[in-house]
Amino acid sequence: MQMSSTIEYALRAVVWLADHDERPQTTAKIADGTKMPPSYLSKVLQGLSRNGLVKSQRGLHGGFSLAVDANTLTVLDVVNAIEPMQRILTCPLGLSTHGKKLCALHQSLDDIMADTEKAFAAQTIGALLDRPGKSKPLCNVTVKGKTTQAKK
């Protein structure tokens, strides 16, 4: 399963803001740090703001910051703010004999979605930044004395 670019960008933006919580971040700074187009980032930030995950501040020292503590904000919160996860509640084919009792295929797919929801709900943004022994998200890493861009 591949996530949409919008979800990926939203997660990058939220991780960036969590890692730079000392002061609001401008759209240009977030876009540069997260390697995303500024116009697309604006759309993503609007969605996150509309759902109460980020807040904006106007003025000379303005920008965006998290509106929720990174240690309580989960990956699922971010995903659902942008593109809510869809569970399979009734037969997608509309077969009257199935109704709310899903066939083995659709029940299996829904079970996988439930497991994905649980995994996303268990992962906080703060924990992503504090994983010992792992590369810090969105940061350059040094390997054998050479600095490279961390994979995103």
Side-chain angles (χ1 to χ4, degrees):
M1 180 175 101
Q2 186 173 349
M3 288 189 286
S4 72
S5 295
T6 307
I7 291 174
E8 166 75 17
Y9 286 165
L11 287 166
R12 287 187 205 178
V14 167
V15 167
W16 179 269
L17 292 172
D19 196 33
H20 296 83
D21 64 350
E22 65 280 354
R23 60 189 169 103
Q25 299 289 297
T26 64
T27 304
K29 190 157 198 135
I30 299 167
D32 183 55
T34 59
K35 309 294 184 228
M36 72 174 96
S39 59
Y40 205 96
L41 173 61
S42 292
K43 175 186 168 190
V44 168
L45 290 170
Q46 285 175 0
L48 293 170
S49 179
R50 195 172 30 255
N51 285 285
L53 301 185
V54 302
K55 57 187 176 185
S56 62
Q57 178 180 323
R58 294 181 187 264
L60 182 60
H61 299 288
F64 289 88
S65 57
L66 285 182
V68 179
D69 182 351
N71 293 312
T72 60
L73 181 61
T74 67
V75 170
L76 183 63
D77 295 331
V78 177
V79 169
N80 281 337
I82 300 300
E83 294 175 13
M85 293 189 69
Q86 300 294 314
R87 297 287 303 276
I88 304 172
L89 304 176
T90 60
C91 177
L93 302 175
L95 300 175
S96 59
T97 55
H98 289 195
K100 291 189 179 206
K101 183 174 174 13
L102 300 176
C103 69
L105 169 66
H106 292 116
Q107 184 62 61
S108 178
L109 292 173
D110 187 60
D111 291 346
I112 292 167
M113 292 302 294
D115 289 344
T116 302
E117 273 185 337
K118 287 178 193 168
F120 285 174
Q123 183 65 66
T124 67
I125 301 302
L128 287 173
L129 292 168
D130 292 333
R131 288 181 115 173
K134 299 288 182 186
S135 296
K136 189 172 181 181
L138 307 174
C139 292
N140 285 332
V141 294
T142 302
V143 179
K144 296 181 184 176
K146 182 179 179 184
T147 301
T148 60
Q149 183 66 32
K151 291 184 180 180
K152 295 187 183 42

